[in-house]
Amino acid sequence: MAVLSAQGVEFDFEVPVVVVGAGACGLVAALAAHDEGQEVLVLERDENPTGSTSLSAGLIPAPCTRLQKEAGIEDSPELFAQDLVAKTHDHTPYDQALAAAKAAGPMIDWLMEKHQVEFELVTGFLYPGHSRLRMHGPKSRTGADLEQNLLSAVSNAGIDLITGASVEDLYVDAAGRVAGVRFRRPDGAQEMLGCKALVLACCGFAGDAEMVRRYIPEIADAECCGHLSNTGDAVKWGEALGAGLADMGAYQGHGSVAHPHGLPLTWAVITKGGILLNLEGRRFSNEMRGYSEHAAEVASQPGNVAWDIYGSGGEEAAMGFHDYRELRKLGVVKTANSLEELATVTGLLVEAVAAELEAVERAAQTGEPDRFGRKFSQEQLLQPPYFAVKVNGALFHTQGGLVIDAEARVLRADGTPLPNLMAGGGAARGVSGDSNYGYLSGNGLLSATAFGRLAGISAARIAAATA
């Protein structure tokens, strides 16, 4: 894998816009470039496109959409951007957050109206850090369905998608303009493809253990439940081109992945009063800080696991998620009609569990934060039947990468844009700050789809200008 000189290179064929990666970012970018009148070709390494998108809940936060307005929810890009920046402790630049927030709403409406991608607005609960109900996703709440819906849209638009096509090298002229790529087929055959503009939508580096240990050592020993084809290709090419990198310590982890089954347990159960207990039966954090930062928290507990304990409210909210229904079928969700029974099914000390629930009740009665800084309402107090799932902490995908501008153009280290290279999703610096705490629910797909559309539009514009 390298960046090579384009001088004297002949390509087998040429397409105005080439997109590397067929997850949500690449597919949205392809649709956007196509709608701007350019021929597009998408290259996907895997035989069956899935990526990080298929492993997610398929939820995209967006303000001012038609669905939000129909539900009577008042929101704005500015408010959303404030939520994004606040979650990162003011690390993410406001203008970058605002660019994503402004692009997100029109992007959802465009996918629905132009390409018949189905979305619902999630109204059953509010994700931590969001000040408005703004999560949009398929009815199933699965990223696999979102991926399939986008693949159908690409197919219906007549956009070519080649699977089993692993992009190995970029060919670049003296000015830093990408002239084309070389990709390899599963049988070893290689093809040379020229382009006028290139979009890197091949996600981050969660699947490269060496890069994870270098940039995010705190999560290096945790299980990777992300897409293992995310091997940092975009970052490696970008570095060779002199692109700037930022927020390489940012990632989306998850502190509630059913163990050992590998399916995420929705954080909705936490928002409904659920708590995390370690194997000693003790709480160890403010669970409402968010699921990403809890990846490292849970991974550092005895046995590297914890028990997610919740009540009927959490069960009801979770049943809207396909992954949860699958966990139910697998027998992962334990139920108990008393504290004694809960202790039996989890193996936890009943005295420790009782003490934690009593502490939660005291906090709810006083209205004061508990010892971890979390507030509980009377409605959130856990009552039988109790539900329990053993979970571990895992790495899903990284959120640092190539620095891009508000048009998703990749920037050099000095801030000037490379001539015809765009990026989005995990390939680019996202809006999650520089660590795990900055990940606001939905940030991964927000960066993928909002910047994906911007990348496609920019790529089409550049391709048209150089035709």
Side-chain angles (χ1 to χ4, degrees), residues 312-398:
S312 297
E315 162 83 355
E316 182 180 355
M319 284 299 291
F321 290 78
H322 173 79
D323 284 346
Y324 187 77
R325 297 193 296 273
E326 290 299 304
L327 291 174
R328 271 299 212 171
K329 293 176 185 176
L330 291 168
V332 174
V333 181
K334 310 298 182 184
T335 59
N337 291 310
S338 67
L339 278 181
E340 290 74 18
E341 190 177 353
L342 179 62
T344 298
V345 299
T346 59
L348 302 176
L349 289 174
V350 65
E351 296 84 2
V353 177
E356 291 295 356
L357 293 183
E358 288 168 4
V360 168
E361 185 172 358
R362 286 195 300 272
Q365 289 173 345
T366 64
E368 297 296 320
D370 67 7
R371 69 186 189 275
F372 299 108
R374 180 177 175 182
K375 285 190 174 184
F376 289 89
S377 67
Q378 290 287 338
E379 293 74 22
Q380 291 177 319
L381 293 179
L382 302 185
Q383 304 290 340
Y386 301 108
F387 300 84
V389 176
K390 182 181 275 190
V391 298
N392 62 2
L395 169 64
F396 274 16
H397 52 81
T398 55

Side-chain angles (χ1 to χ4, degrees), residues 3 19 25 74 87 109 132 149 173 216 219 238 242 256 261 279 326 349 352 375 436 460:
V3 172
V19 178
C25 181
E74 294 186 6
K87 190 68 168 66
D109 289 346
R132 296 291 187 274
N149 291 342
D173 67 18
I216 325 174
I219 201 69
S256 190
H261 304 81
L279 294 185
E326 290 299 304
L349 289 174
K375 285 190 174 184
N436 61 1

Side-chain angles (χ1 to χ4, degrees), residues 184-223:
R184 178 174 45 81
R185 300 284 197 164
D187 63 2
Q190 298 190 24
E191 297 184 43
M192 303 287 286
L193 172 64
C195 63
K196 300 295 186 185
L198 181 67
V199 177
L200 296 179
C202 42
C203 207
F205 56 90
D208 187 312
E210 182 181 336
M211 291 183 72
V212 172
R213 190 163 297 281
R214 185 194 325 162
Y215 292 114
I216 325 174
E218 70 182 60
I219 201 69
D221 293 325
E223 180 181 4

Side-chain angles (χ1 to χ4, degrees), residues 4 7 14 158 173 203 305-306 379:
L4 305 171
Q7 185 174 359
E14 183 175 292
D173 67 18
C203 207
V305 295
E379 293 74 22

